[in-house]
Amino acid sequence: MDEDTLKALVKLTQEGHLSSLEERIASGDSAAVQTVSSKHFGRSGDTLLHYAARHGHLDIVDYLIQRVGMDMEVCNNDYKRPLHEAASMGHHACVSYLLREGAKVDSLKKADWTPLMMACTRRNLQLIQDLLNHGADPALRNKDGWTCFHLACREGEPLVVQQLLLTRPDVWRTESKTGRTPLHTAAMHGCEEVVQILLERCGYTPDCTDSCGVTPFMDAARNGHITVARLLLDKHQASPTAVDTVGAQPVHQVAVTGQQEALCFLVRDLNVDVDQRTTGTQLTALHYAAKEGHTSAIKTLLELGADLHVRDSKRRTALHMACIGQHADTVRTLLQMGLRDTEDASGTTAQQLARKADVVRVFECGS
């Protein structure tokens, strides 16, 4: 078969035109059929069976396996099987068919992802139940140490999370290679219902930390998920002043992400010290907000009572940090607020840290 014909076959498969696909393939000789059954296309190395499964065309999947004789375990360049493709796109009918035909339920694609893991990136409970009923192992881990339970908690579908816990009650006892639990994942993504389930049915210790010392409460706060943060406080006795491995508390982490509502929540509702310093470096939330260029967060911190002139262990002010981050608007705002350029412990002024042209111009123009 020539390249134009092969391209036409791919298009017909993707669009689900079974009768036209049959006609094209039947018009060739046995060698042509053999070419179709073993041909890998493009950089991905997909076969017609991959395309059919990805687009959910069950009739074409059946035709290619039963009539053309394609191997249902054929891999593309990422080691994806057709089952991976169908599961990742939530095509339950194709998944059920492939499983009935004997597809390997726990086959691994690149990075050690199973079809169940890929299915858990969707919210198709019936599909996930089918994989579990065919023996899919929910405890398998990919190269990053994630299980399907991490993924289900990230997606935030309570029924899927409950099904996995029903199938394997201890599935929650898992950590990624960086020490992150499914509770971290659910909190980070603001999945309140899932967090509630995890707190009620699983045995996570309060303020469990990942390899960076980050707690689920920190994850919730720094991503602006106030209701989840409150839930962790009320139901899990989380600490709003826990410290990570670099000595930063939630108030510092929230300043990094510029979450103004979370800053107000920590300072006004929980009475966290707005000028709380990190251990060692003595940085405050104001320093972090300035380095990241979060001008609105700086204004919020000042409204909350932050000291504009506070210095860290190197005697740097927020103005130094804004210049380190090369944020012209933040530098301008700090100068307009009355913060003056001074030397740090090494004798370096904020202006001397300015590198980008627009930051340099702020000083040259006197704000």
Side-chain angles (χ1 to χ4, degrees):
M1 286 187 175
D2 59 34
E3 285 301 314
D4 288 341
T5 300
L6 290 171
K7 288 180 180 179
L9 293 180
V10 170
K11 185 176 181 180
L12 291 170
T13 300
Q14 292 174 323
E15 295 178 353
H17 301 306
L18 175 59
S19 58
S20 298
L21 182 68
E22 286 182 295
E23 289 177 10
R24 286 291 190 109
I25 293 177
S27 66
D29 54 21
S30 59
V33 174
Q34 181 61 36
T35 298
V36 169
S37 67
S38 59
K39 176 67 175 177
H40 292 261
F41 297 87
R43 293 182 178 179
S44 65
D46 288 327
T47 66
L48 293 183
L49 189 53
H50 285 92
Y51 291 125
R54 183 182 305 148
H55 289 274
H57 301 312
L58 177 57
D59 53 352
I60 297 180
V61 169
D62 177 68
Y63 166 72
L64 291 172
I65 292 174
Q66 303 298 340
R67 302 278 298 281
V68 179
M70 293 191 68
D71 179 7
M72 73 179 71
E73 299 299 337
V74 64
C75 296
N76 68 9
N77 292 341
D78 286 332
Y79 305 108
K80 276 187 180 180
R81 274 80 162 176
L83 183 60
H84 286 103
E85 296 287 2
S88 68
M89 299 305 293
H91 298 310
H92 182 221
C94 288
V95 168
S96 293
Y97 172 85
L98 290 167
L99 291 173
R100 288 196 305 271
E101 291 298 313
K104 295 178 182 177
V105 70
D106 281 332
S107 55
L108 301 180
K109 80 168 192 72
K110 191 174 182 179
D112 295 337
W113 281 61
T114 66
L116 180 58
M117 291 175 191
M118 303 190 78
C120 284
T121 65
R122 300 281 174 169
R123 299 188 176 192
N124 191 324
L125 178 61
Q126 189 178 15
L127 186 156
I128 290 168
Q129 288 175 324
D130 207 359
L131 287 164
L132 291 170
N133 291 338
H134 279 81
D137 185 353
L140 292 178
R141 293 153 55 96
N142 67 16
K143 73 174 184 64
D144 296 315
W146 280 47
T147 67
C148 65
F149 197 63
H150 279 98
L151 296 162
C153 290
R154 182 188 71 184
E155 296 305 313
E157 175 50 62
L159 293 177
V160 173
V161 171
Q162 290 171 331
Q163 179 62 57
L164 291 171
L165 284 169
L166 181 65
T167 302
R168 184 73 67 85
D170 64 345
V171 72
W172 63 271
R173 297 180 184 273
T174 183
E175 295 180 356
S176 71
K177 289 186 176 179
T178 57
R180 293 182 62 74
T181 68
L183 182 58
H184 281 91
T185 303
M188 177 180 180
H189 290 275
C191 303
E192 185 177 353
E193 290 184 78
V194 170
V195 170
Q196 181 75 54
I197 292 169
L198 297 181
L199 295 182
E200 291 175 352
R201 299 182 55 177
C202 308
Y204 294 109
T205 57
D207 292 324
C208 51
T209 60
D210 65 12
S211 60
C212 294
V214 172
T215 67
F217 178 85
M218 293 176 183
D219 270 329
R222 68 183 179 181
N223 286 284
H225 304 307
I226 307 302
T227 56
V228 173
R230 287 189 184 278
L231 184 60
L232 289 163
L233 286 170
D234 296 341
K235 303 294 185 181
H236 212 221
Q237 294 75 56
S239 170
T241 56
V243 179
D244 67 14
T245 56
V246 298
Q249 294 186 13
V251 69
H252 304 117
Q253 297 171 341
V254 168
V256 170
T257 56
Q259 296 288 344
Q260 297 173 70
E261 184 182 356
L263 286 171
C264 293
F265 167 64
L266 289 169
V267 177
R268 287 180 179 160
D269 296 2
L270 304 183
N271 296 315
V272 172
D273 181 3
V274 70
D275 287 325
Q276 180 64 49
R277 295 171 178 271
T278 58
T279 56
T281 55
Q282 298 292 292
L283 293 164
T284 67
L286 191 63
H287 285 98
Y288 281 108
K291 185 176 180 181
E292 298 300 324
H294 297 312
T295 304
S296 295
I298 289 172
K299 293 177 180 178
T300 297
L301 286 165
L302 293 176
E303 290 171 2
L304 292 169
D307 181 357
L308 181 64
H309 303 282
V310 67
R311 294 172 179 266
D312 66 6
S313 60
K314 297 181 179 179
R315 295 194 54 75
R316 296 174 300 187
T317 66
L319 189 60
H320 286 88
M321 304 306 287
C323 287
I324 289 173
Q326 306 300 314
H327 301 297
D329 288 342
T330 305
V331 170
R332 184 179 297 106
T333 297
L334 290 169
L335 289 172
Q336 290 172 345
M337 288 178 171
L339 187 56
R340 295 292 171 255
D341 192 6
T342 56
E343 294 181 347
D344 63 14
S346 67
T348 303
T349 65
Q351 183 172 0
Q352 289 172 326
L353 296 171
R355 297 288 181 269
K356 290 178 64 176
D358 55 346
V359 181
V360 172
R361 279 197 296 272
V362 172
F363 286 101
E364 291 176 344
C365 296
S367 84

